[in-house]
Amino acid sequence: MNWLAHVFLSELDIDFQIGNFLADPLKGRVWENASDEIKKGMQTHKKIDSFTDSHEIISCSKKRLRERGLLKPVIVDLTYDYLLTKNWDKFCTIPLETFSNSFYTQAYKRAPFMPYIANISITNMIERDLLNKYHTINQLKTSFDRMDKRLSPRLLQRETASGYSNAVIDNINYLEKDFLEFFPQLCKTLKSDLDKNKLKHWRL
């Protein structure tokens, strides 16, 4: 799951959402005096990753792209964010634009009170509008191109993210079927550990 999914798969609490988002850039390390909601958000991020990485549907989605490839997990993550965007109204009671703008506004106000690396990560996310990068298949392809610019020369000799574009497009209907089967299962698994009063944005 990528950025949009992690922010959505949170209690509707800004610190919880920020914690869920920051778990990757901060490598799961919480800072001293972080709020309990930040900690819970990071813990939820780990649960999402654990459930996702071991799920047979995710394995199936990876195999649809090619037999081998180091970048397959990231490609599936980005593609699933595109598919979440496409099917947003099936899962969320709040329109995507309203949801993302609300998160950005609240996160921008909280960022100055957090450690430097957290502040920078949040600010960078807002400035790059990372929750709204996957509205079309062309935007998804562009994200693959951007990823290539961040890959090491050594990895680029083996494979590129943009090299997956045709496989994703050719299999997008199958990948969407995978996503629509997988995502409700992920929500159901997380729901048992979350405050249901703060999940009113979930349709599930």
Side-chain angles (χ1 to χ4, degrees), residues 2-5 7-8 12-15 17-18 21 81 85 88 94-112 114 119-135 139 146:
N2 206 48
W3 306 124
L4 178 62
V7 174
F8 170 75
L12 205 57
D13 176 283
I14 190 57
D15 272 19
Q17 292 173 311
I18 286 173
F21 160 70
D81 250 25
T85 300
W88 182 258
I94 303 170
L96 178 54
E97 182 178 4
T98 304
F99 180 88
S100 58
N101 286 342
S102 176
F103 172 77
Y104 288 155
T105 299
Q106 295 178 74
Y108 184 79
K109 292 177 181 178
R110 289 288 290 126
M114 296 185 179
N119 186 341
I120 290 298
S121 297
I122 294 167
T123 302
N124 181 57
M125 178 203 203
I126 296 169
E127 290 178 350
R128 293 173 61 195
D129 191 17
L130 292 183
L131 299 188
N132 290 297
K133 289 295 185 185
Y134 311 104
H135 284 270
Q139 285 182 318
R146 284 197 303 266

Side-chain angles (χ1 to χ4, degrees), residues 9 39 44 56 71 84 87 89 105 107 122 127:
L9 292 168
K39 295 174 184 175
T44 296
E56 60 183 10
L71 296 176
L84 175 58
N87 293 281
D89 292 341
T105 299
I122 294 167
E127 290 178 350

Side-chain angles (χ1 to χ4, degrees), residues 185-197:
Q185 293 182 36
L186 174 57
C187 292
K188 183 178 179 181
T189 298
L190 295 175
K191 201 169 187 178
S192 60
D193 295 325
L194 301 179
D195 183 346
K196 293 178 179 57
N197 291 321

